[in-house]
Amino acid sequence: MKPQGTIIASGNAPHGAITSGRPYPLGATWDGEGVNFAVFSQHATKMTLCLFSPDGRWEAEWIDLPERDGHIWHGYVPGLLPGQAYGYRAHGPYRPDEGHRFNPHKLLLDPYAKRIIGTVEWDDALFGYDVTSKHADLTFDTRDSSNFMPRAVVTDPSFSWGPDRAPNHALSDTIIYEAHVRGLTMGRRDIPHRGTFAGLASDPILDHLSRLGVTAIELLPVHAFLDEKFLLDRGLKNYWGYMTLGFFAPEPRYMTTGQLSDFQAMVQRFHGAGIEVILDVVYNHTCEGNQMGPTLSFRGLDNASYYRLAESPRYYINDTGTGNTLNLDHPFVMRLVLDSLRYWVEQMHVDGFRFDLATTLGRTVRGFDRNHPFLQAIRQDPVLSRVKLIAEPWDVGPGGYQLGAFPPPFLEWNDKFRDQVRRYWRKDPDMTRKLAMRLSGSALKFDHDGRPATSSVNFLTAHDGFTLMDLVSYSGKRNLANGEENRDGHSENHSDNLGIDGQTDDPSVLARRAQRRRNLLTTLMLAQGTPMILGGDELGNSQDGNNNAYCQDNATGWVDWDNADPDFLRFCRDIVAFRKRHPILRQRRFLHSRSRTIDGQVDLFWRRADGDLMTEVDWNNQNQRLIAAEMRVAAGTPDYIARSSREDAIFAVFNAGEEQLVFLPPVPLDRVWVLQVNTAQPGEPPTRIHRALRVEADSVVVLALESTPIPYRS
């Protein structure tokens, strides 16, 4: 199939004749009088710009870019305006055994496209090879793919930001809320434009998040992404979005007007509510898959440059588990990622990034290197070094697990916190010492190279895995709806159904589940580090046991607002507010249970139920089920200086065993311990405690050292 429409010579076109233009910036840049096009390809022999009809349906014109500076092809077309749809066709060798897969019959998206219209419509013409041939990708396919491809669109990214200012919350004050644009909004019937950026920034959602007390929303991927064919064949979709098609363009399905202002207005409204916007970004791979995948953009523009290829360059290194890995060792691929990040900060005003499979971004041919040029480039960049940077510190390649290995200022998702806190409350043996390590910020992993305690992103649940409700309701995953015979998703979830698997009306089981959720969330809010809550957990949201809802763009994956648990929501608000009121819980410096150099005092004591300090025998007791932490302000901090005259303290008891009488640490005569949190009796008023209190089974109690007299209870 040949492109539809007439190919017009540039001299006869309704716009001016193409001129050489500039090799910068990359992408399509409108300057008020025309558009400069610049695209990278090291190995192409010719680059053709394809301009589409006003409705974007057919190719009206092919223009060969006239100039090449180094590896950048460029040209300037006067008279073009924003809204012009375009694409590329790259000419060059088709020699897969050498890593080259050029095929000018395939329309290609600009990697720098700021806006994309249309979707990939799966057809054999999308593949660079003849899919019916027994020689597969070694063949050359001459069918035209234009009819089945989305288009890039020339865009003016300017926006009237007005007085917009980034909230710039300190990491010590940050509480992250991980959410999905559609997932958080589709279940709310009282908001307009459900499933879009506009719906996400609606008054009901902003009010909910503000009352909950979170300071940042971390959005699952919003870069334009692909629905894989195998999912569409099953009647499913790529719900999460971890198959990026364009690193600059917002996902069209989340837009209402189709303009960049849809996203920008959302950010503006979040900032107005004092909430930062963090993007989950996927720079480790693209949606083009392995050598059997389609030719949509990067593969057709310069396969050998964009991707890390195996020793036999026909094949791809697959450290991501998705078929390919971006080659950040190449300067122009690194430039693509850095340009993308800066664009989202400078033009779209986002406040930070969570890097999916971040170990991949630090890989060289020798493995992970924390001093990889890409990681160094971000750290020295005047734009990127000032926003929040969060690494998912693993991938599936050799030596991929790198928790604690990233350089400052990166934060890292701490899966050890997730797993070991779950296991402590499930009553697994030998977990007391590990719980103490997680409560104190996982210092063995993070307390080096000047990193603060906030480096650990502590979480109990995330998009990948059980929700908090399912964690206490299912003994194993139930992923049959994904069409993979329950083989997908984590098999070891450290979950506990507390007596009955799945949904139940049994009041005793429901009460135990509610208390377990309160215990887990309270543990999260009392730990040193940066806490993250999964959107919907505060409502008691369930995915019916599906712990890998990546393809469930339906009621399974959406947050269930109709059946929200108001009591648990109230508790969530209270425990978040408690953390905010007590700087002791939000210290940047690690607490180490040893004398401080400034004043000789100790900032953390681990105690038994009888009030004595934990001994090595206690730590090694595999059946130890209770631990108490007495926390004080770290010396040398502003909080310490402000409070040193009265040395405020927090005393928290984590009891995964039977009911016990717990003796409190001694205090000066003018101070008193006040019980402020009791997960066994949520909502009870603060109570003054003299010497000891009875801690119920499977509960957390938290006391604050105060001087304000309130009613006494023995």
Side-chain angles (χ1 to χ4, degrees):
M1 182 185 298
K2 293 185 178 180
Q4 299 180 16
T6 303
I7 301 176
I8 307 172
S10 60
N12 299 322
H15 52 74
I18 191 168
T19 60
S20 60
R22 302 186 308 273
Y24 57 86
L26 287 164
T29 306
W30 180 64
D31 64 4
E33 297 181 355
V35 179
N36 189 79
F37 294 91
V39 61
F40 158 76
S41 180
Q42 181 175 343
H43 298 101
T45 56
K46 183 171 71 171
M47 189 67 62
T48 300
L49 170 67
C50 307
L51 299 180
F52 284 81
S53 59
D55 60 8
R57 297 184 61 184
W58 51 278
E59 287 173 276
E61 186 173 2
W62 287 4
I63 307 172
D64 292 338
L65 293 182
E67 293 292 339
R68 176 178 182 175
D69 276 278
H71 304 314
I72 299 179
W73 302 78
H74 56 93
Y76 181 83
V77 183
L80 287 187
L81 298 171
Q84 173 67 56
Y86 71 98
Y88 289 110
R89 294 177 184 271
H91 305 255
Y94 188 86
R95 294 195 289 269
D97 282 338
E98 298 176 15
H100 300 304
R101 296 177 179 270
F102 292 97
N103 188 333
H105 301 278
K106 311 305 171 183
L107 182 73
L108 305 174
L109 271 175
D110 181 1
Y112 279 73
K114 307 299 190 303
R115 179 180 161 212
I116 293 174
I117 57 173
T119 59
V120 171
E121 297 180 15
W122 283 100
D123 187 88
D124 289 352
L126 293 170
F127 296 82
Y129 60 92
D130 181 357
V131 297
T132 65
S133 171
K134 66 179 180 180
H135 299 294
D137 65 305
L138 294 178
T139 61
F140 185 77
D141 185 79
T142 59
R143 286 170 291 185
D144 192 271
S145 68
S146 177
N147 290 345
F148 312 103
M149 281 289 295
R151 285 76 162 102
V153 179
V154 176
T155 302
D156 177 8
S158 61
F159 179 75
S160 179
W161 286 100
D164 180 71
R165 296 184 65 181
N168 283 326
H169 294 296
L171 283 175
S172 56
D173 297 330
T174 295
I175 298 174
I176 299 172
Y177 185 89
E178 190 198 33
H180 188 283
V181 173
R182 281 178 61 80
L184 190 61
T185 59
M186 288 299 292
R188 288 291 298 254
R189 297 180 179 85
D190 59 337
I191 63 174
H193 307 299
R194 291 182 298 162
T196 68
F197 297 129
L200 188 66
S202 63
D203 287 341
I205 298 296
L206 292 178
D207 178 66
H208 173 76
L209 297 178
S210 296
R211 295 181 65 193
L212 182 58
V214 299
T215 67
I217 186 167
E218 180 177 303
L219 298 178
L220 267 69
V222 300
H223 291 171
F225 59 87
L226 177 75
D227 286 315
E228 298 98 303
K229 185 177 185 300
F230 79 92
L231 289 176
L232 295 176
D233 289 345
R234 296 175 185 168
L236 301 170
K237 295 181 180 179
N238 183 335
Y239 171 52
W240 285 350
Y242 289 92
M243 279 290 174
T244 305
L245 180 62
F247 293 116
F248 292 78
E251 169 53 41
R253 73 190 76 182
Y254 298 155
M255 305 172 83
T256 48
T257 70
Q259 302 299 319
L260 299 186
S261 56
D262 289 344
F263 183 90
Q264 293 164 318
M266 177 197 72
V267 174
Q268 186 180 49
R269 283 184 54 79
F270 271 107
H271 285 179
I275 298 173
E276 296 176 309
V277 177
I278 298 171
L279 300 187
D280 191 338
V281 288
V282 189
Y283 295 112
N284 54 78
H285 72 280
T286 78
C287 65
E288 290 185 306
N290 63 14
Q291 70 276 3
M292 306 306 294
T295 296
L296 309 175
S297 178
F298 312 93
R299 173 174 286 130
L301 286 168
D302 195 342
N303 184 70
S305 295
Y306 276 109
Y307 294 116
R308 294 181 62 214
L309 303 181
E311 184 175 352
S312 172
R314 175 183 175 185
Y315 304 103
Y316 296 77
I317 291 175
N318 186 21
D319 291 327
T320 64
T322 62
N324 65 58
T325 304
L326 271 183
N327 179 24
L328 266 70
D329 284 342
H330 194 289
F332 276 93
V333 181
M334 184 191 296
R335 176 176 170 180
L336 168 77
V337 176
L338 292 171
D339 285 349
S340 170
L341 291 168
R342 280 190 290 265
Y343 173 78
W344 287 96
V345 174
E346 295 181 309
Q347 296 292 334
M348 310 298 256
H349 284 207
V350 304
D351 304 283
F353 304 95
R354 179 265 189 188
F355 295 90
D356 178 66
L357 300 182
T359 296
T360 299
L361 307 180
R363 281 191 179 275
T364 68
V365 294
R366 296 176 297 278
F368 177 77
D369 181 357
R370 70 193 304 268
N371 292 313
H372 187 283
F374 172 70
L375 300 180
Q376 291 193 12
I378 287 183
R379 297 171 69 193
Q380 63 80 37
D381 189 281
V383 173
L384 302 179
S385 60
R386 60 181 172 84
V387 302
K388 291 180 171 63
L389 305 171
I390 304 170
E392 182 183 40
W394 50 77
D395 65 14
V396 301
Y401 188 74
Q402 293 292 332
L403 179 66
F406 281 77
F410 278 91
L411 286 67
E412 300 178 37
W413 270 27
N414 188 347
D415 63 322
K416 287 190 178 296
F417 183 97
R418 175 196 65 194
D419 294 345
Q420 292 173 2
V421 171
R422 290 181 179 190
R423 294 183 64 194
Y424 178 84
W425 288 111
R426 196 176 65 169
K427 304 180 188 297
D428 286 9
D430 197 26
M431 294 307 301
T432 302
R433 184 191 296 270
K434 293 174 181 176
L435 177 69
M437 293 169 63
R438 304 310 149 214
L439 288 170
S440 54
S442 301
L444 290 179
K445 288 290 183 181
F446 295 105
D447 190 10
H448 61 84
D449 202 20
R451 303 183 75 181
T454 50
S455 300
S456 174
V457 175
N458 300 329
F459 65 103
L460 301 165
T461 53
H463 67 276
D464 186 4
F466 277 144
T467 67
L468 188 61
M469 178 61 84
D470 289 352
L471 181 66
V472 301
S473 304
Y474 293 89
S475 59
K477 62 186 180 182
R478 294 189 179 184
N479 296 354
L480 288 173
N482 295 353
E484 300 180 43
E485 299 181 347
N486 211 39
R487 294 189 302 267
D488 61 305
H490 296 295
S491 295
E492 183 51 78
N493 297 283
H494 311 298
S495 61
D496 183 359
N497 63 29
L498 292 165
I500 298 175
D501 209 51
Q503 298 183 13
T504 180
D505 294 326
D506 187 311
S508 64
V509 173
L510 293 175
R512 293 177 63 199
R513 289 177 178 176
Q515 180 146 332
R516 179 67 59 84
R517 286 186 289 142
R518 291 193 294 268
N519 292 343
L520 288 161
L521 189 65
T522 301
T523 305
L524 175 66
M525 289 299 155
L526 296 178
Q528 277 194 287
T530 303
M532 184 184 81
I533 302 169
L534 172 63
D537 276 354
E538 76 280 12
L539 305 171
N541 183 61
S542 171
Q543 294 179 170
D544 298 321
N546 192 319
N547 76 346
N548 189 33
Y550 77 102
C551 56
Q552 298 295 328
D553 189 4
N554 50 45
T556 297
W558 302 339
V559 171
D560 182 1
W561 291 87
D562 291 339
N563 296 298
D565 181 343
D567 293 333
F568 189 65
L569 175 57
R570 189 178 307 110
F571 179 84
C572 290
R573 291 169 176 164
D574 290 345
I575 196 63
V576 169
F578 180 83
R579 178 181 177 89
K580 288 186 169 185
R581 287 196 305 271
H582 293 277
I584 289 176
L585 303 174
R586 299 182 282 105
Q587 300 184 64
R588 287 176 48 82
R589 295 194 179 183
F590 288 92
L591 306 181
H592 278 301
S593 300
R594 59 173 178 256
S595 296
R596 302 183 294 221
T597 57
I598 291 181
D599 59 5
Q601 299 299 310
V602 178
D603 50 28
L604 177 62
F605 301 89
W606 297 108
R607 297 188 182 275
R608 306 182 311 209
D610 61 6
D612 286 345
L613 297 177
M614 291 279 287
T615 67
E616 196 62 29
V617 172
D618 298 319
W619 288 118
N620 291 328
N621 180 357
Q622 293 197 6
N623 296 314
Q624 181 79 21
R625 295 279 185 263
L626 182 147
I627 187 174
E630 180 187 353
M631 293 172 274
R632 297 179 179 274
V633 180
T637 66
D639 286 322
Y640 171 80
I641 295 169
R643 295 168 174 265
S644 58
S645 61
R646 50 195 181 96
E647 192 68 12
D648 281 8
I650 293 290
F651 186 68
V653 182
F654 305 85
N655 182 21
E658 300 301 317
E659 179 182 292
Q660 288 199 56
L661 183 67
V662 176
F663 288 85
L664 307 182
V667 297
L669 292 176
D670 61 340
R671 309 312 303 281
V672 64
W673 287 114
V674 178
L675 177 62
Q676 297 201 356
V677 177
N678 183 353
T679 62
Q681 301 292 333
E684 68 175 11
T687 307
R688 189 177 179 183
I689 306 295
H690 177 54
R691 182 71 182 93
L693 79 160
R694 195 161 294 280
V695 178
E696 295 187 35
D698 296 315
S699 69
V700 181
V701 298
V702 189
L703 303 95
L705 191 61
E706 296 184 359
S707 56
T708 304
I710 56 178
Y712 171 81
R713 185 187 77 180
S714 61

